[in-house]
Amino acid sequence: MDLVSFLGQNFQRFWEYTGFANATPEHFVMLAVGLLFIWLAIKKNFEPLLLVPIGFGILVGNIPFKLDAGLEVGIYEQGSVLNILYDGVSAGWYPPLIFLGIGAMTDFSALIANPKLMLIGAAAQFGIFGAYIVAMAIGFAPDQSGAIATIGGCAAGPTAIFLSSKLAPNLMGAIAVSAYSYMALVPLIQPPIMRLLTTKKERVIKMKPARAVSQNEKIMFPIVGLLLTCFVVPSALPLLGMLFFGHLLRESGVTTRLAKTASNALNDIIVMLLGLAVGASTQASEFLTFDTLKIFFLGAMAFIIASMSGVLFVKVFNLFLPKGKKINPLIGNAGVSAVPMSARISNNIGLEYDSSNYLLMHAMGPNVAGVIGSAVAAGALLGFLG
């Protein structure tokens, strides 16, 4: 074999391994989606801590390569670095660690001071069970329907990933991306719903400042909360156990260093790895299916139902409350579990109609109740579907 032929064969083999030789139109579609996520995060400031890792992960996961080359570089290739990172998603241990961080960084005082706000968080879970019924009706299996439905807890990303890892691993990428997409779009989706379902008079309802919560109450809450919720739904223990543990670290007064680690460094690391791994799991061959489109539709429907349910529940609840104790329906949207984003939206919309009406702390009550409610709902689904 002469030198020219030898070099030609080497070049041909090199070409067969390149992304150019293995690219399909589907790869470019997914690369465009990844770039869109990064653009929304950087230019529009839509949840950058989530969308930048997910968007870049989509780029990483959709670099075309020769699948039968034994390169072990893709997320589904055993032994690859991406596959090892993805184990935390598929095995379901990233979500409990995120719940640990949420518990350590969140103030539950508004809920402790006004326990009836828990009912708003519970009402918002209609989105989960409504989506479950619709998913069953359009052809998804019961376990798949349960995993998809958790998107309705506001795009409760960690909860959706945890449940899909148990019930529908093959749909995890689509469910996770759908959940985090709607979480990032909360500022666009919720305000029109809130304005549509409330009157101007309702939007300016002023709520009395919440009572002061004692340190003993703050310490007892995660302990009592854990026992009450997990005795009812033991299957939610991985999520609720870590949520209440993180909150006890925050409120105990003697574990400040642990609380700061859980809410800052540890949480940031897990969010970063989770986002990258979830994004990389959206390989075109696995992600671009008709089922994915149906999941995005169901996720949007579930999220809208959850937001509407919270607002409408407050309006109905107000019918039974005396005049001076009525609840502003604008905090009903916060029953979904996007903490503290939904609560900030409640506050911002309230300030639009009355610049002195601060609703943030009131909205944090149903907001943290939504976190607990979504985990309880997921545990209930896992209990009878798992």
Side-chain angles (χ1 to χ4, degrees):
M1 181 183 298
D2 58 35
L3 180 60
V4 174
S5 299
F6 177 74
L7 293 176
Q9 289 180 2
N10 281 347
F11 179 78
Q12 182 178 358
R13 184 164 182 171
F14 170 77
W15 172 256
E16 291 173 355
Y17 278 78
T18 64
F20 298 104
N22 293 281
T24 65
E26 290 79 8
H27 283 106
F28 291 108
V29 170
M30 291 308 303
L31 291 173
V33 171
L35 291 173
L36 175 63
F37 273 42
I38 294 172
W39 180 81
L40 289 172
I42 296 174
K43 291 297 184 181
K44 299 297 182 180
N45 201 34
F46 285 176
E47 287 301 300
L49 297 182
L50 291 173
L51 291 194
V52 168
I54 292 175
F56 197 82
I58 293 174
L59 300 184
V60 170
N62 285 279
I63 299 297
F65 63 94
K66 193 174 177 64
L67 295 177
D68 59 355
L71 299 176
E72 294 183 350
V73 296
I75 199 162
Y76 297 113
E77 280 64 54
Q78 291 295 323
S80 73
V81 173
L82 288 175
N83 182 256
I84 293 170
L85 294 178
Y86 188 63
D87 282 345
V89 180
S90 58
W93 56 265
Y94 284 151
L97 290 175
I98 290 181
F99 265 68
L100 172 66
I102 293 173
M105 71 175 68
T106 305
D107 185 356
F108 283 55
S109 298
L111 183 60
I112 300 171
N114 193 357
K116 65 176 177 286
L117 297 179
M118 176 70 78
L119 298 174
I120 303 174
Q125 306 314 311
F126 281 116
I128 289 179
F129 294 102
Y132 174 70
I133 294 170
V134 175
M136 290 273 290
I138 65 175
F140 284 103
D143 52 352
Q144 294 176 327
S145 300
I148 295 167
T150 48
I151 300 172
C154 169
T159 308
I161 291 171
F162 176 78
L163 200 60
S164 59
S165 71
K166 308 295 183 184
L167 299 179
N170 59 313
L171 299 180
M172 189 187 304
I175 291 172
V177 172
S178 176
Y180 281 118
S181 297
Y182 293 124
M183 183 181 290
L185 294 175
V186 162
L188 295 182
I189 297 174
Q190 283 197 328
I193 296 172
M194 297 161 66
R195 293 189 180 98
L196 177 66
L197 298 179
T198 58
T199 64
K200 187 174 182 180
K201 183 178 179 181
E202 290 173 326
R203 295 172 203 143
V204 296
I205 292 176
K206 286 193 174 182
M207 300 172 64
K208 292 183 179 179
R211 68 174 179 84
V213 177
S214 70
Q215 187 65 22
N216 286 338
E217 287 179 290
K218 293 180 179 180
I219 293 173
M220 289 300 298
F221 178 78
I223 298 172
V224 175
L226 172 69
L227 297 178
L228 287 179
T229 56
C230 291
F231 264 72
V232 175
V233 190
S235 49
L237 181 59
L239 298 178
L240 291 173
M242 296 299 274
L243 176 74
F244 288 124
F245 174 51
H247 192 59
L248 182 61
L249 294 179
R250 171 192 171 95
E251 301 297 353
S252 69
V254 294
T255 52
T256 303
R257 287 173 54 189
L258 299 181
K260 287 182 177 179
T261 299
S263 61
N264 292 300
L266 179 60
N267 188 68
D268 289 345
I269 290 169
I270 297 301
V271 168
M272 178 174 58
L273 295 179
L274 174 65
L276 182 68
V278 164
S281 72
T282 62
Q283 290 185 1
S285 58
E286 303 283 337
F287 190 81
L288 289 179
T289 66
F290 186 57
D291 279 349
T292 298
L293 294 178
K294 291 193 289 185
I295 288 169
F296 270 81
F297 165 75
L298 287 168
M301 182 203 69
F303 179 38
I304 291 170
I305 291 174
S307 301
M308 293 176 64
S309 297
V311 175
L312 292 174
F313 176 82
V314 175
K315 290 168 67 76
V316 173
F317 196 40
N318 276 343
L319 298 176
F320 303 94
L321 294 177
K323 186 175 181 180
K325 295 186 177 181
K326 294 189 181 296
I327 299 171
N328 192 314
L330 289 179
I331 74 171
N333 75 296
V336 296
S337 64
V339 178
M341 191 177 356
S342 291
R344 288 201 300 263
I345 292 171
S346 302
N347 188 62
N348 292 342
I349 300 297
L351 291 174
E352 284 183 18
Y353 295 92
D354 182 347
S355 59
S356 65
N357 193 11
Y358 293 92
L359 297 173
L360 181 60
M361 290 311 298
H362 298 292
M364 282 302 297
N367 210 182
V368 297
V371 176
I372 298 171
S374 67
V376 169
L381 289 169
L382 183 61
F384 66 78
L385 293 174

